[in-house]
């Protein structure tokens, strides 16, 4: 595995490898410790068995001495309670001796212990048989028992020599178990130490690798950042790894390159801006001077135009008064002509109205004739209805009443139409007389209108002439007034221009100051 490959790994993978190595070392150490504890537990169990067997062997040794004491007690007692007690104790101690040996043999300490127990079994049986025989003889024949005692003593001596073999075998097993436990403990300690050292070395190497792949690049990035804080944009990290630190370093160098380009453009633009502001400042000074001169000339022209405007306005006022008088005459003549014309129109309208009235009277007469015919027909129908009602008898009484009322209405309608006819004939006669009178009036009004029209035409010509003069003078006054207003506007515009140029100079000076500050700020960086 090359160093560049390791440097390109993400920081999470590096830390994960470091943690995994630590976990592996701890796991191996734990497994070794558990194994050592299991073996130590087994050795402890075996030591416990040897301890139990040693106790059983010691009990067997004590029981064989107790059996001898019981035999001597039986010989001394001969009979009685002490004898019985000695016999019972003998039997109990013999059983305890055999049980202790069986316990040692069944302790599971191995074949050596079993062989040792088997080797003393015959001596134990001989010894116990001899003791029980002497105890039995002591109760019947003390002399015979004393005679048999040497054989018992010889059996006791043989067992005394053979019985330590069992203790020695158990002791050997205990020593072997203790030695194995010590060896296992040393092995476990050595393995734990080796695993610990290996884990420490592995963690140290991985920690060094992680630290070297992270801290050294971070130091380079820190140096670049400190230089950047001091205005130095020329530094490079020289890192090519693709991990998080390498990505940060690449992004930092890209940002610094962008800042260098930006500051170069800002520096060039600020120099151009400073040069342009100097030219604008000079131009603004010239504009200010020219605007001041223009304002002075414009003020003089405005004063002269004001005087001309006053003279023209005086002439225009006189012309307006003369035009007003002519217009009043023309207005009166026009009014008279208009009134005469209206009278002619009204007379013609009256003639037309009277003519229409005659036509309406004729139409009314025709309508009256129609109404009279309808009334006659209604009267006839009412008469027929009365006849039919009379024929109907009682059933037609109501209809007869209605028929009578209709007949009465028809008669009244006939009378009304006769009255209207008489009045329409009178209206027609009056209309004929009015038509002739209106014709005469129309002729007279027409003559008056012709005379007024002639007068109005003459006055209109004078009015037109005066109006043209007034219009010309008014136009001249308006032109002079417009000239005055324009000159005043030019003066105001010139003043505004002067102020604007002054403001522009202030802005240009401020821009020049900012350009100088920008140049100074950009000059603080090194790129």
């Amino acid at each position: 595995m090359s160093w560049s490959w390791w440097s390109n790994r993400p920081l999470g993978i590096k830390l994960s490898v470091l943690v995994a190595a630590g976990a592996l070392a701890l796991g191996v150490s734990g497994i070794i410790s558990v194994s050592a504890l299991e073996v130590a537990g087994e050795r402890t169990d075996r030591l416990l068995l040897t301890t139990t067997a040693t106790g059983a062997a010691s009990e067997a040794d004590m029981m064989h001495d107790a059996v001898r004491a019981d035999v001597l007690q039986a010989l001394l007692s001969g009979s009685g309670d002490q004898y019985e007690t000695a016999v019972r104790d003998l039997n109990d101690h013999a059983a305890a001796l055999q049980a202790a040996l069986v316990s040692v043999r069944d302790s599971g300490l191995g074949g050596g212990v079993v062989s040792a127990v088997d080797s003393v079994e015959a001596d134990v049986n001989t010894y116990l048989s001899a003791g029980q025989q002497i105890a039995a003889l002591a109760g019947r024949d003390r002399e015979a028992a004393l005679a048999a005692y040497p054989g018992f003593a010889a059996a006791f001596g043989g067992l005394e020599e053979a019985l330590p073999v069992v203790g020695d075998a158990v002791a050997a097993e205990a020593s072997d178990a203790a030695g194995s436990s010590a060896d296992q403990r040393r092995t476990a300690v050595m393995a734990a130490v080796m695993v610990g050292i290996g884990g420490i070395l592995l963690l140290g190497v991985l920690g060094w690798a992680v630290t070297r792949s992270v801290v050294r690049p971070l130091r380079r990035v820190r140096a670049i950042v400190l230089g950047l804080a001091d205005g130095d944009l020329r530094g490079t990290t020289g890192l090519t790894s693709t991990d998080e630190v390498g990505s940060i370093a690449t992004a930092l160098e890209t940002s610094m390159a962008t800042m260098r380009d930006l500051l170069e453009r800002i520096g060039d633009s600020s120099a151009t801006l400073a040069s342009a502001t100097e030219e604008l400042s000079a131009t603004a000074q010239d504009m200010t001077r020219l605007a001041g001169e223009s304002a002075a000339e414009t003020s003089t022209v405005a004063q002269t135009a004001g005087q001309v405007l006053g003279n023209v306005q005086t002439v225009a006022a006189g012309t307006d008064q003369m035009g007003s008088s002519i217009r009043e005459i023309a207005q009166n003549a026009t009014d008279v002509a208009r009134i005469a014309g209206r009278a002619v129109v009204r007379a013609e309208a009256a003639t037309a109205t009277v003519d229409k009235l005659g036509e309406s009277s004729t139409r009314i007469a025709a309508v009256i004739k129609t109404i009279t015919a309808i009334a006659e027909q209604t009267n006839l129908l009412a008469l027929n209805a009365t006849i039919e009602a009379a024929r109907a008898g009682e059933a037609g009484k109501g209809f007869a009443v209605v028929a009578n009322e209709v007949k009465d209405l028809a008669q009244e309608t006939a009378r009304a139409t006769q009255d209207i006819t008489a009045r329409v004939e009178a209206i027609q006669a009056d209309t004929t007389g009015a038509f002739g009178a209106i014709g005469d009036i129309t002729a007279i009004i027409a003559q008056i209108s012709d005379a007024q029209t002639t007068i109005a035409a003459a006055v209109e010509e004078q009015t037109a002439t005066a109006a043209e003069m007034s219009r010309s003078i008014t136009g001249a006054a308006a032109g002079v007034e417009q000239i005055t207003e324009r000159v005043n506007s030019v003066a105001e515009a010139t003043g505004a221009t002067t102020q604007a140029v002054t403001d522009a100079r202030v802005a240009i000076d401020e821009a020049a100051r900012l350009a100088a500050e920008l140049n100074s700020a950009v000059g603080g960086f090194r790129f």
Side-chain angles (χ1 to χ4, degrees):
M1 181 179 65
S2 62
W3 176 253
S4 61
W5 182 89
W6 171 255
S7 299
N8 292 330
R9 296 307 94 193
L11 184 59
I13 293 179
K14 297 175 182 177
L15 295 178
S16 298
V17 171
L18 182 62
V19 173
L24 179 62
L26 289 176
V28 172
S29 178
I31 291 172
I32 293 174
S33 299
V34 171
S35 299
L37 288 175
E38 289 180 353
V39 174
E42 294 176 358
R43 296 293 182 269
T44 301
D45 292 340
R46 190 169 184 80
L47 286 173
L48 181 62
L49 291 176
T50 57
T51 302
T52 303
T54 300
S58 298
E59 184 179 1
D61 186 54
M62 289 187 296
M63 290 301 103
H64 99 278
D65 289 333
V67 167
R68 179 186 178 189
D70 294 335
V71 171
L72 291 175
Q73 181 65 34
L75 288 174
L76 291 174
S77 299
S79 62
D81 293 334
Q82 291 183 351
Y83 173 76
E84 295 295 336
T85 299
V87 172
R88 287 195 302 271
D89 291 340
L90 174 62
N91 292 328
D92 292 338
H93 292 154
L97 174 59
Q98 291 177 339
L101 291 176
V102 170
S103 176
V104 172
R105 183 174 57 194
D106 295 339
S107 62
L109 293 177
V113 175
V114 173
S115 298
V117 174
D118 292 339
S119 66
V120 300
E121 184 176 2
D123 294 333
V124 171
N125 291 331
T126 300
Y127 175 66
L128 292 178
S129 296
Q132 290 174 349
Q133 184 179 7
I134 291 173
L137 290 174
R140 295 190 308 269
D141 188 358
R142 187 171 181 275
E143 294 297 332
L146 290 173
Y149 185 76
F152 172 75
F156 173 78
L159 182 60
E160 185 75 18
E161 293 178 358
L163 194 58
V165 175
V166 176
D168 294 340
V170 173
E173 290 292 333
S175 177
D176 182 63
S180 298
S181 178
D183 292 340
Q184 183 64 31
R185 184 174 63 254
R186 285 193 297 272
T187 302
V189 170
M190 183 63 65
V193 170
M194 294 300 294
V195 171
I197 293 173
I200 292 172
L201 291 176
L202 178 60
L203 290 176
V205 171
L206 290 176
W208 174 81
V210 172
T211 302
R212 185 172 181 271
S213 63
V214 174
V215 174
R216 289 180 63 185
L218 284 178
R219 287 176 179 172
R220 294 183 182 180
V221 173
R222 177 176 176 272
I224 297 301
V225 172
L226 291 176
L228 178 62
D230 194 34
D232 188 3
L233 300 176
R234 298 169 298 178
T236 56
T237 60
L239 299 177
T240 59
S241 61
T242 58
D243 59 351
E244 288 83 351
V245 179
S247 300
I248 292 173
T250 302
L252 178 60
E253 290 182 354
T254 303
S255 300
M256 291 174 65
T258 303
M259 291 179 64
R260 284 195 298 269
D261 294 338
L262 179 61
L263 289 174
E264 287 177 357
R265 290 197 299 270
I266 291 175
D268 296 339
S269 299
S270 61
T272 303
L273 178 61
S275 176
T277 51
E278 291 178 358
E279 294 179 359
L280 286 175
S281 179
T283 303
Q285 291 178 356
D286 294 338
M287 290 179 65
T288 303
R289 178 179 56 78
L290 293 175
E293 295 176 357
S294 178
E297 294 295 333
T298 303
S299 177
T300 302
V301 173
Q303 292 177 359
T304 304
Q307 294 175 0
V308 173
L309 178 61
N311 296 330
V312 173
Q313 287 177 346
T314 301
V315 175
T319 305
D320 286 339
Q321 291 178 359
M322 182 179 67
S324 297
S325 299
I326 295 173
R327 280 195 299 272
E328 289 179 0
I329 296 171
Q331 184 64 37
N332 292 331
T334 302
D335 290 341
V336 172
R338 187 174 60 255
I339 292 170
R342 290 173 60 187
V344 172
V345 173
R346 291 294 180 86
E348 292 176 352
T351 301
T353 302
V354 171
D355 190 12
K356 290 180 180 180
L357 183 60
E359 293 177 358
S360 299
S361 299
T362 303
R363 293 178 181 176
I364 291 171
V367 173
I368 290 171
K369 289 179 181 180
T370 303
I371 294 172
T372 302
I374 293 171
E376 290 175 356
Q377 291 293 329
T378 304
N379 190 17
L380 182 58
L381 290 174
L383 181 59
N384 291 330
T386 301
I387 294 170
E388 293 296 328
R391 290 178 181 177
E394 291 296 328
K397 285 182 179 182
F399 187 69
V401 174
V402 175
N404 288 330
E405 291 180 357
V406 172
K407 183 176 66 176
D408 292 339
L409 290 174
Q411 291 174 358
E412 290 179 0
T413 301
R415 287 193 297 270
T417 53
Q418 290 175 0
D419 188 13
I420 292 171
T421 300
R423 291 180 182 274
V424 169
E425 291 176 353
I427 290 171
Q428 288 178 346
D430 294 337
T431 299
T432 302
F435 186 78
I438 291 172
D440 295 337
I441 294 170
T442 300
I444 295 170
I445 292 173
Q447 293 175 0
I448 296 171
S449 177
D450 293 337
Q452 292 296 331
T453 300
T454 302
I455 296 171
V459 174
E460 185 65 25
E461 292 179 357
Q462 297 298 320
T463 301
T465 302
E468 185 65 25
M469 292 174 60
S470 177
R471 185 166 57 253
S472 300
I473 295 173
T474 302
V480 174
E481 185 175 0
Q482 290 179 358
I483 292 172
T484 304
E485 292 177 354
R486 296 294 176 85
V487 171
N488 290 330
S489 298
V490 170
E492 292 176 358
T494 303
T497 302
T498 303
Q499 182 63 36
V501 171
T502 302
D503 296 339
R505 286 189 60 191
V506 173
I508 291 169
D509 293 340
E510 181 66 18
R513 185 183 63 80
L514 292 176
E517 292 181 357
L518 185 60
N519 269 326
S520 176
V522 172
F525 290 92
R526 297 182 296 278
F527 52 88

